[in-house]
């Protein structure tokens, strides 16, 4: 069994209010504290199957241009997801399964690029706009019962389990891979940074806060009883943990490495949702929600939300 990271963005950050403020409120935390951010998804090679966990932003998604008020920044492009996938040495037609942790386009953006893959996703996510018209979709109903302390699971292959983990989205899932005595937990967006796992904090991004709390509690309980490598999508801690086979000890968090400096870029007038990758283009507007073409982002109503993930304007960055 081999697990590798497909790395396509680097140099991002997640502010403490964003990463910690889900339950207590973002205003209770210091916006000047920023944790390292990146974007990567993962590939599992079983020797028989090549399995992807999520598939990155679609090609052409613009970079964000953050400023001092930005809550989150997904980072600058290393390359496109598909170029990063090609650099791994695999070909799209070799992929047999895709395990989708959730619908957001930084996780689902390239699922159509793998012609032979069956795409496993929590059945509750199948109606999401991001998944419409996707061939080979396999709705998962978690019929294999409990997996340790997680009540609902589906066995995908020997040593690979798809776990229902509602909260971040209503159809959110995690993947646990058992290999060489370790449990590799590939979790999407349960936390954005490992500091939130150690501090037992939820991010401000959720569709069901109560369920997000239950999920994080279960994850922390599991980690406390099993040697677990915690593998994130939005932090370089994800691939650092993977590559170093670092087992999480909740009572002994490693020192935080501060996020680096970031630079301003020329802005296009478009804005990108740092949660799901939706691009607001003033030339197009948001007609379904009553925003005519030609409306600058700054003139959107204060209660306007991302049409895709329903997050507030505060979670958008200039492109």
């Amino acid at each position: 069994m081999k697990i590798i990271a497909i790395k396509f963005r680097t140099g991002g950050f997640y502010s403490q209010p964003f990463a910690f403020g889900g339950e207590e409120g973002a205003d209770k935390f210091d916006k000047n504290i920023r944790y390292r951010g990146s974007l990567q998804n993962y590939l599992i090679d079983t020797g028989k199957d090549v399995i992807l966990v999520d598939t990155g932003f679609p090609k052409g998604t613009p970079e964000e241009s953050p400023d001092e008020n930005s809550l989150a920044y997904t980072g600058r492009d290393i390359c496109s997801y598909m170029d990063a996938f090609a650099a791994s040495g695999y070909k799209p037609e070799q992929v047999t399964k895709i395990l989708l942790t959730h619908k957001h386009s930084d996780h689902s953006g390239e699922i159509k690029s793998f012609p032979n893959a069956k795409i496993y996703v929590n059945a509750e996510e199948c109606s999401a706009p991001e998944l419409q018209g996707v061939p080979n979709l396999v709705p998962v109903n978690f019929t294999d019962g409990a997996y340790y302390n997680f009540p609902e699971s589906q066995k995908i292959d020997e040593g690979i389990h798809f776990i229902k983990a509602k909260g971040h989205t209503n159809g959110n899932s995690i993947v646990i891979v058992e290999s060489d005595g370790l449990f590799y937990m590939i979790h999407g967006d349960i936390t954005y940074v490992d500091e939130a796992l150690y501090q037992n904090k939820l991010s401000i991004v959720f569709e069901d806060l109560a369920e997000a709390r239950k999920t994080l509690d279960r994850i922390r309980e599991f980690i406390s009883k099993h040697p677990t490598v915690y593998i994130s999508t939005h932090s370089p801690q994800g691939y650092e943990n993977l590559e170093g086979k670092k087992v999480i000890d909740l009572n002994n968090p490693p020192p935080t490495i501060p996020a680096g400096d970031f630079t301003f870029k020329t802005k296009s007038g478009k804005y990108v949702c740092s949660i799901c990758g939706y691009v607001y283009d003033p030339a197009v507007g948001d007609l379904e929600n009553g925003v005519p073409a030609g409306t600058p982002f700054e003139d959107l109503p204060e209660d306007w939300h991302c049409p895709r993930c329903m997050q507030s304007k505060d979670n958008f960055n200039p492109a």
Side-chain angles (χ1 to χ4, degrees), residues 61-64 267-274 276-301 304-308 311-313 315-319:
T61 299
E63 292 184 21
E64 305 150 58
K267 297 175 175 60
S268 65
K270 299 177 183 179
Y271 278 71
V272 183
C273 178
S274 61
C276 74
Y278 172 83
V279 179
Y280 177 78
D281 184 346
V284 176
D286 178 16
L287 297 179
E288 290 187 6
N289 292 295
V291 177
T295 303
F297 184 84
E298 295 81 2
D299 293 344
L300 290 171
W304 183 84
H305 290 75
C306 175
R308 184 178 292 160
Q311 295 299 310
S312 70
K313 288 173 62 178
N315 290 307
F316 278 73
N317 285 319

Side-chain angles (χ1 to χ4, degrees), residues 37-169:
S38 61
L39 265 176
Q40 60 278 332
N41 299 132
Y42 297 93
L43 180 150
I44 306 164
D45 187 341
T46 69
K48 180 185 70 174
D49 286 308
V50 177
I51 302 171
L52 297 181
V53 181
D54 298 339
T55 64
F57 276 128
K59 185 176 182 179
T61 299
E63 292 184 21
E64 305 150 58
S65 182
D67 60 31
E68 64 276 7
N69 295 313
S70 298
L71 293 174
Y73 168 47
T74 59
R76 64 184 181 276
D77 286 338
I78 301 170
C79 57
S80 71
Y81 173 83
M82 291 306 296
D83 285 343
F85 173 82
S88 72
Y90 294 87
K91 296 180 180 180
E93 56 268 23
Q94 290 178 269
V95 175
T96 53
K97 298 181 178 77
I98 297 172
L99 310 181
L100 197 62
T101 64
H102 63 288
K103 61 193 175 184
H104 294 157
S105 66
D106 51 336
H107 298 259
S108 65
E110 289 287 358
I111 51 178
K112 294 182 181 179
S113 296
F114 299 91
N116 299 324
K118 292 183 177 179
I119 300 159
Y120 293 77
V121 60
N122 186 329
E124 294 183 50
E125 295 279 79
C126 289
S127 61
E130 295 92 332
L131 303 183
Q132 298 313 294
V134 175
N136 301 327
L137 208 62
V138 180
V140 176
N141 291 297
F142 304 98
T143 56
D144 288 338
Y147 177 82
Y148 294 95
N149 64 314
F150 296 101
E152 297 177 81
S153 73
Q154 192 83 37
K155 184 176 179 180
I156 300 298
D157 206 334
E158 195 61 40
I160 301 176
H161 300 267
F162 202 45
I163 312 292
K164 191 173 186 178
K166 184 174 181 176
H168 178 68
T169 68

Side-chain angles (χ1 to χ4, degrees), residues 92-276:
E93 56 268 23
Q94 290 178 269
V95 175
T96 53
K97 298 181 178 77
I98 297 172
L99 310 181
L100 197 62
T101 64
H102 63 288
K103 61 193 175 184
H104 294 157
S105 66
D106 51 336
H107 298 259
S108 65
E110 289 287 358
I111 51 178
K112 294 182 181 179
S113 296
F114 299 91
N116 299 324
K118 292 183 177 179
I119 300 159
Y120 293 77
V121 60
N122 186 329
E124 294 183 50
E125 295 279 79
C126 289
S127 61
E130 295 92 332
L131 303 183
Q132 298 313 294
V134 175
N136 301 327
L137 208 62
V138 180
V140 176
N141 291 297
F142 304 98
T143 56
D144 288 338
Y147 177 82
Y148 294 95
N149 64 314
F150 296 101
E152 297 177 81
S153 73
Q154 192 83 37
K155 184 176 179 180
I156 300 298
D157 206 334
E158 195 61 40
I160 301 176
H161 300 267
F162 202 45
I163 312 292
K164 191 173 186 178
K166 184 174 181 176
H168 178 68
T169 68
N170 287 324
N172 201 74
S173 307
I174 62 175
V175 177
I176 296 181
V177 180
E178 302 172 13
S179 181
D180 297 328
L182 297 177
F183 296 83
Y184 293 85
M185 182 182 288
I186 308 174
H187 66 82
D189 299 353
I190 300 300
T191 59
Y192 281 82
V193 296
D194 285 15
E195 286 83 359
L197 173 71
Y198 286 106
Q199 295 295 321
N200 197 16
K201 302 294 186 184
L202 294 172
S203 82
I204 62 173
V205 186
F206 51 80
E207 291 184 351
D208 190 320
L209 180 58
E211 291 296 327
R213 168 44 61 193
K214 289 179 185 177
T215 291
L216 184 55
D217 287 347
R218 289 176 182 135
I219 283 173
R220 285 172 53 85
E221 179 187 355
F222 183 90
I223 287 172
S224 72
K225 296 177 178 178
H226 305 89
T228 303
V229 180
Y230 189 70
I231 304 178
S232 304
T233 295
H234 288 277
S235 169
Q237 295 157 314
Y239 59 76
E240 290 166 359
N241 291 345
L242 172 63
E243 292 163 5
K245 296 185 178 180
K246 296 177 182 177
V247 172
I248 294 291
D249 180 352
L250 293 175
N251 296 315
N252 291 286
T256 293
I257 301 172
D261 294 332
F262 57 95
T263 57
F264 298 100
K265 295 185 176 182
T266 302
K267 297 175 175 60
S268 65
K270 299 177 183 179
Y271 278 71
V272 183
C273 178
S274 61
I275 310 305
C276 74

